[in-house]
Amino acid sequence: MTELLQLRGISKRFGPVVACDAVDLTVREGEVHGLLGENGAGKSTLMNVLLGLTQRDAGTIIHRGKTVHVGGPRNAIGLGFGMVHQQLSLVEPLTVWENVILGDRGRVDRAKACADVEAVAARYGLPVDPLSRVDRLSAGERQRVELIKCLRRDPSVLVLDEPTSLLTEAESAELFAVLRRVVRAERRAVILISHRLAEITAATDRVTVLRRGRVVHTGRTAETTPPELARWMVGREVAVEAEAAALGVLVAPAQAAATTTAAPVLRVRDLRVLVGGTPRLDGLSLDVAPGEILGLYGVEGNGQDVLGDVLAGLVTPDGGTVEVGGQPIDLTRPGALHLAGVGVVPEDRRTALVLDMTVAENLAMKAPMSAFPNRRRMRAAAGRLVEEYGIAVPSLDAPARALSGGNQQRLVLARELSAAPRVLVAAQPTQGLDVGAIGDVHRRFQRVADQGVGVLLISTALEEVLALASRVAVISSGRIAGILPAEEATGERLGLLVGGA
């Protein structure tokens, strides 16, 4: 196949940190090329150089045999480079079609824009209503809008950064099937950044692995396996059974669910939430026992995001009750759930942080005022958490927005678990994390469950749910369609429940 894009000797420093160290990457026409690496390995910096968001210190970019200069994002678009970033960049009060045409020049034609959205959505299997307001869409639907926004520009090289983290297994498979067909028929290329190694092995033709800013492996995907790729990523052997969820591999549950007669630490009854007159939660009920990890699994858009918002105190339901430790919670009272002992790791980690506040201030946010009588003690406590949870920070005084997405997630998790919750609600907790980080998060969930904390794990990643949960509840149309013990929760049975059977 002809070489469509070559990055030769790309280097970039940020002060003393070498983000990319003479990186070479070749992408051929008609291929899906995987790009792997732990958080901080240099993947994002390399792609930001390609997209004109970061200027390289050294190296050459060659497109279709010609050396090109990428002076900025608009220049990159003109060259045919497009990227769908992991962090969504939509304007929430606007509609889908308005977001899609942002940046266009000339007269705005609503009818044509809506038709464009529908055409791209149909072509790539990404259904979404162009007239819907973005702030009323689920996280998965918003990710579809980001994909449509980029695909509408018809790029010759498309970079996808964790594009399926909020899509279902079926949606992901359909997206990659279409992309493979299109890139081969139209001589395009896709660079896929994903931490789901099984997805990389299934969807890509070749793969490049970065570690600490350098290329440590490039080769045909068919000639490797997820454990081998993980070893290249982290520099050590990885056991499939122990880290199956991190590898994106389905395995049978390790053991049968333990039975318990203890009273639920979290009891949700007949929860109802209306959005624009439409029920998003429609009489949802579930229990979480002390020491249990209950997995809530389902297709995005069925109400799990709303449930997470209710349990975070962000949405007041139109009906129903929530009890923690047998005590009813006044859901109209700000902070009531936190005071009752509910910790929350939300789907969008940025909503749990004040991005312009420092790392230390964010870590202390939920501690009682008496815990830190002065700034010195607050910083000391923050330093201990940063070390314990392996949060990579420039300094404790750096703003939270300066951290990578994975380190922001670790920061939120450290703050919530250090508050000694009775209940932990974690929504898509490992989205965008690498193998090592996912394994660490899972071990912490299992550890707090062993200590008696009730964990509600909300995830669209089936392998994650099966790896951690003792019971699996399936949500469909805002209701619980069924609950299965882990040893009975096969992909087929869960798929039937997801479909409402």
Side-chain angles (χ1 to χ4, degrees):
M1 287 188 288
T2 305
E3 293 174 345
L4 176 59
L5 174 71
Q6 298 173 71
L7 303 180
R8 293 181 177 174
I10 301 297
S11 295
K12 179 63 183 180
R13 283 178 173 268
F14 295 98
V17 177
V18 180
C20 289
D21 188 1
V23 173
D24 291 335
L25 175 68
T26 298
V27 182
R28 299 167 180 166
E29 285 183 349
E31 80 170 358
V32 179
H33 194 111
L35 183 61
L36 284 174
E38 292 188 280
N39 295 121
K43 307 183 301 296
S44 295
T45 299
L46 184 65
M47 292 300 98
N48 285 340
V49 166
L50 175 64
L51 272 294
L53 298 169
T54 298
Q55 294 303 306
R56 61 191 181 277
D57 297 330
T60 305
I61 300 175
I62 302 172
H63 181 230
R64 297 198 186 278
K66 296 181 179 180
T67 300
V68 297
H69 172 68
V70 186
R74 188 171 292 279
N75 183 209
I77 292 171
L79 290 167
F81 305 154
M83 182 170 181
V84 178
H85 296 269
Q86 180 183 336
Q87 297 290 354
L88 305 185
S89 58
L90 303 174
V91 182
E92 295 191 353
L94 299 183
T95 63
V96 169
W97 75 266
E98 288 169 329
N99 270 278
V100 168
I101 69 166
L102 283 177
D104 284 6
R105 294 179 174 179
R107 180 175 172 272
V108 173
D109 186 333
R110 170 175 161 166
K112 183 180 183 304
C114 289
D116 285 350
V117 171
E118 291 172 342
V120 175
R123 183 182 184 189
Y124 291 94
L126 299 166
V128 67
D129 181 359
L131 298 177
S132 293
R133 275 178 46 142
V134 167
D135 56 7
R136 294 176 182 171
L137 300 179
S138 69
E141 290 168 325
R142 295 182 193 194
Q143 196 156 35
R144 293 178 205 165
V145 177
E146 286 278 13
L147 283 163
I148 291 169
K149 184 177 178 180
C150 185
L151 291 167
R152 174 176 169 267
R153 299 185 185 277
D154 224 15
S156 62
V157 178
L158 174 63
V159 181
L160 300 178
D161 188 359
E162 301 288 349
T164 65
S165 57
L166 297 177
L167 300 181
T168 65
E169 302 293 326
E171 288 173 329
S172 300
E174 175 65 19
L175 173 64
F176 286 122
V178 172
L179 285 174
R180 290 178 77 93
R181 184 168 68 248
V182 170
V183 298
R184 286 176 179 170
E186 301 179 3
R187 300 174 61 198
R188 303 173 190 271
V190 170
I191 300 174
L192 172 63
I193 302 173
S194 175
H195 291 108
R196 301 180 69 181
L197 303 186
E199 181 172 88
I200 288 286
T201 57
T204 66
D205 302 293
R206 293 191 305 132
V207 61
T208 294
V209 184
L210 298 181
R211 187 166 75 239
R212 297 178 183 174
R214 295 184 176 182
V215 174
V216 293
H217 172 76
T218 295
R220 294 185 64 234
T221 310
E223 297 174 355
T224 188
T225 64
E228 287 174 339
L229 291 173
R231 185 177 68 246
W232 283 113
M233 285 174 62
V234 302
R236 61 175 173 82
E237 292 294 334
V238 177
V240 173
E241 292 294 326
E243 301 191 55
L247 296 173
V249 176
L250 281 176
V251 297
Q255 58 185 13
T259 57
T260 179
T261 57
V265 67
L266 174 67
R267 184 190 294 269
V268 176
R269 285 292 176 271
D270 198 28
L271 214 57
R272 297 185 302 281
V273 174
L274 298 175
V275 178
T278 302
R280 293 295 306 278
L281 293 181
D282 189 15
L284 182 142
S285 299
L286 58 79
D287 293 338
V288 181
E292 173 186 37
I293 299 179
L294 174 68
L296 183 65
Y297 175 71
V299 176
E300 267 295 344
N302 276 272
Q304 55 267 66
D305 56 330
V306 180
L307 176 62
D309 287 344
V310 169
L311 296 177
L314 300 175
V315 169
T316 301
D318 296 291
T321 60
V322 173
E323 295 180 7
V324 177
Q327 298 299 312
I329 305 300
D330 180 1
L331 298 175
T332 65
R333 199 168 123 237
L337 284 157
H338 166 63
L339 292 173
V342 178
V344 178
V345 179
E347 184 170 326
D348 184 349
R349 57 183 70 102
R350 294 172 299 176
T351 65
L353 300 169
V354 180
L355 295 175
D356 290 325
M357 287 174 58
T358 69
V359 169
E361 289 165 342
N362 271 281
L363 284 169
M365 194 180 296
K366 289 194 173 181
M369 293 292 291
S370 58
F372 305 122
N374 57 55
R375 187 170 182 82
R376 181 179 59 81
R377 289 194 182 181
M378 179 186 75
R379 285 173 52 79
R384 288 192 294 271
L385 288 175
V386 163
E387 182 176 357
E388 179 184 349
Y389 284 81
I391 309 170
V393 299
S395 78
L396 294 176
D397 297 319
R401 71 169 64 255
L403 275 59
S404 68
N407 284 302
Q408 288 178 353
Q409 187 78 328
R410 287 174 182 261
L411 191 156
V412 174
L413 188 65
R415 184 186 66 205
E416 298 302 307
L417 292 184
S418 66
R422 303 176 70 181
V423 177
L424 179 67
V425 180
Q428 312 292 354
T430 57
Q431 175 189 324
L433 300 186
D434 57 53
V435 173
I438 290 173
D440 180 58
V441 169
H442 287 178
R443 285 188 290 273
R444 291 185 186 280
F445 284 172
Q446 290 167 332
R447 192 177 307 143
V448 297
D450 290 342
Q451 295 167 354
V453 177
V455 179
L456 176 60
L457 171 66
I458 303 172
S459 179
T460 57
L462 181 57
E463 63 274 7
E464 178 167 68
V465 170
L466 294 182
L468 290 176
S470 55
R471 293 187 302 142
V472 181
V474 174
I475 187 169
S476 178
S477 300
R479 303 174 68 92
I480 299 300
I483 300 179
L484 295 173
E487 66 272 18
E488 298 178 16
T490 63
E492 182 179 2
R493 295 189 69 182
L494 292 174
L496 289 171
L497 288 170
V498 165

